[in-house]
Amino acid sequence: MGMISRVRGRIRSDSFSKIQTIKSEDKIANIVWLLSLVLLLPYWAPRGLLVALGGAWLMAAYTCLVVPVLISANYKYPARWYPAVARLAQEAARRLKRPGACVLGVLKTVYAPLERTELMFLQMNNLSTMISQLLIFTACDRLLVSQGKLTCLYSLMFYNVVTYSVSYVREICTKEDWSPYVNVTRHSRVKHLAMSATKIVLEWTKAVTFIVTITFVLLTFGLEQGLEHYRPNTLYTTITGTYYVLTEKIFLELWPIGLSAMKIERLEGMESLYFGAWARGLTTFIAVPLVPALAWYERWRLALFVFYVCVFVNGRHRLGEALFKLNEARGSLARFRRATAEELATLEDVCAVCLGSMRSARVTPCAHFFHADCLRKCLAASDRCPICVRPYIFC
């Protein structure tokens, strides 16, 4: 009798408890799955239940709070059919891989002429940049401005005036030859009368045009004449202004100069490459959320144009090219170690390429120190040390 009692007790304490635990976990997993369906129902409501109740901010807050909880709960308590569905998907992907590769090859062949057209479009840099800016401005017009259908055109014109003013001021600041005369030859002191007169007229024309432009812009905004359809808000100005300064050529040239003045050592003199990748990535990031927002308000054609031109074409070609150049530059320097602070303190020397002081440097196998960007430019021409002309041998 004692043995029978012990056997019964062990069965009750071990086997049944395990079976009950398994059943309990299955129940929890099924409850989690059903609750996930219920909590995701607001996304499938017609015209958006959350947007109708509290606007886009309520939908964003609901997404940030609920979606991470649902993902973690389903990860901790997975239903039994989750692994089966995953295995079925893997098996289907394996069977469709070979036909899919054939279909992908056909699609690439068909897409090749369109890709060449995209590259030709991007080579016309001014036109492609203006079209992408106009698309983003129009999308912000439709989403952020309730009244004022011409806000995008007014904004683009105003930003172009600012760009013209910045370029003219930059030309004045970087100008070296202030002489109003033009010599017949470089080393001659004889003045060319016709060319000198043309130069004087051109310089005065640019100065008068600049003054008149600034005056009319100030009068227009001060008197608010002809701006009935110009209704920008803070968010609209922030998005469009950021996109404009990250795509316009003159600003793309000025921002790396500002980064160089900050002397960030981790950039190693490659500010133009880093900023090119950051600017292309940020402009693509700005355009991405506009596509579903336009689709939500049934602006299908504008959403398609924004996705194709501003997200797909610019992201695939311009962002891809910027990232490729940056990764190529970093990869060429990866073989050379960074100089330590102690080595730079004891060296007290200048870079042999640019003759500038070295706050950060790369060290060659032959123990010579160069700026990272200077070494990168030398590597593009030769695989030998610029000082001792020895080939680089890495242990």
Side-chain angles (χ1 to χ4, degrees):
M1 292 296 293
M3 185 176 294
I4 293 173
S5 300
R6 286 194 297 271
V7 171
R8 286 179 179 174
R10 178 164 296 182
I11 289 173
R12 289 175 180 173
S13 62
D14 296 337
S15 302
F16 289 156
S17 63
K18 291 179 180 178
I19 294 173
Q20 186 67 26
T21 302
I22 294 173
K23 289 183 178 180
S24 176
E25 290 181 355
D26 287 343
K27 289 180 180 179
I28 294 174
N30 292 328
I31 291 172
V32 167
W33 179 66
L34 292 173
L35 285 175
S36 300
L37 290 180
V38 172
L39 293 174
L40 290 176
L41 283 178
Y43 292 102
W44 300 96
R47 300 297 298 175
L49 178 62
L50 296 174
V51 175
L53 292 176
W57 291 109
L58 179 60
M59 185 174 181
Y62 184 83
T63 302
C64 295
L65 292 174
V66 172
V67 173
V69 174
L70 294 183
I71 294 174
S72 60
N74 282 275
Y75 180 78
K76 186 175 182 180
Y77 299 102
R80 283 190 172 185
W81 52 272
Y82 285 176
V85 172
R87 287 194 297 269
L88 183 62
Q90 291 176 358
E91 181 67 20
R94 186 181 62 82
R95 291 185 178 182
L96 294 174
K97 185 176 181 180
R98 186 171 297 175
C102 297
V103 173
L104 186 61
V106 173
L107 292 177
K108 286 183 178 180
T109 304
V110 174
Y111 182 71
L114 185 58
E115 185 177 12
R116 289 195 292 270
T117 305
E118 293 172 358
L119 293 175
M120 291 178 61
F121 172 71
L122 292 176
Q123 287 176 358
M124 297 182 288
N125 188 41
N126 294 332
L127 178 62
S128 60
T129 301
M130 186 186 66
I131 290 177
S132 62
Q133 291 171 355
L134 192 58
L135 285 173
I136 294 296
F137 285 26
T138 307
C140 293
D141 229 9
R142 299 296 183 267
L143 295 173
L144 303 176
V145 182
S146 58
Q147 295 179 352
K149 297 181 179 180
L150 297 178
T151 301
C152 58
L153 296 179
Y154 281 116
S155 300
L156 188 58
M157 292 171 59
F158 173 68
Y159 293 152
N160 284 331
V161 170
V162 173
T163 303
Y164 166 73
S165 303
V166 171
S167 62
Y168 183 72
V169 172
R170 179 192 178 189
E171 180 184 351
I172 292 176
C173 294
T174 57
K175 191 173 184 179
E176 296 180 357
D177 183 15
W178 287 89
S179 174
Y181 306 108
V182 177
N183 297 331
V184 176
T185 61
R186 179 179 299 180
H187 302 288
S188 173
R189 294 185 178 181
V190 179
K191 306 296 186 296
H192 195 295
L193 182 61
M195 294 298 295
S196 299
T198 304
K199 183 179 180 181
I200 294 172
V201 170
L202 286 176
E203 293 297 331
W204 274 104
T205 303
K206 288 192 289 185
V208 171
T209 304
F210 173 74
I211 296 172
V212 171
T213 302
I214 297 298
T215 303
F216 271 95
V217 169
L218 294 177
L219 287 175
T220 301
F221 282 95
L223 300 177
E224 297 184 359
Q225 296 296 321
L227 299 179
E228 294 84 1
H229 300 285
Y230 186 60
R231 296 290 183 270
N233 50 40
T234 304
L235 183 59
Y236 178 91
T237 306
T238 302
I239 295 176
T240 55
T242 303
Y243 191 88
Y244 187 87
V245 299
L246 292 177
T247 53
E248 194 63 29
K249 180 180 178 181
I250 184 171
F251 293 106
L252 289 176
E253 295 173 354
L254 290 176
W255 284 114
I257 298 175
L259 283 177
S260 301
M262 296 173 64
K263 296 181 180 179
I264 303 175
E265 296 182 4
R266 292 193 62 83
L267 300 183
E268 296 185 305
M270 297 185 291
E271 288 83 2
S272 59
L273 296 177
Y274 276 99
F275 182 78
W278 294 343
R280 303 304 183 190
L282 188 55
T283 51
T284 306
F285 177 77
I286 291 174
V288 166
L290 297 178
V291 177
L294 290 169
W296 182 268
Y297 289 101
E298 298 181 355
R299 305 278 185 176
W300 302 106
R301 286 181 296 181
L302 184 57
L304 180 61
F305 282 128
V306 171
F307 173 77
Y308 181 70
V309 176
C310 302
V311 178
F312 181 75
V313 175
N314 287 338
R316 182 169 179 259
H317 294 288
R318 285 180 171 166
L319 177 59
E321 182 183 0
L323 290 175
F324 176 77
K325 290 181 179 179
L326 178 60
N327 292 330
E328 185 181 24
R330 295 176 63 181
S332 63
L333 295 173
R335 300 175 298 170
F336 304 90
R337 69 176 180 86
R338 295 173 182 267
T340 62
E342 292 78 10
E343 290 176 332
L344 293 175
T346 57
L347 184 64
E348 294 183 357
D349 201 354
V350 297
C351 175
V353 177
C354 67
L355 302 180
S357 59
M358 290 185 289
R359 295 188 176 185
S360 64
R362 295 277 183 161
V363 185
T364 63
C366 47
H368 291 128
F369 293 75
F370 301 97
H371 287 139
D373 194 44
C374 297
L375 181 59
R376 180 180 64 85
K377 294 177 182 178
C378 292
L379 289 172
S382 174
D383 199 20
R384 293 175 176 270
C385 177
I387 294 181
C388 61
V389 201
R390 295 177 183 176
Y392 299 122
I393 300 175
F394 297 91
C395 299

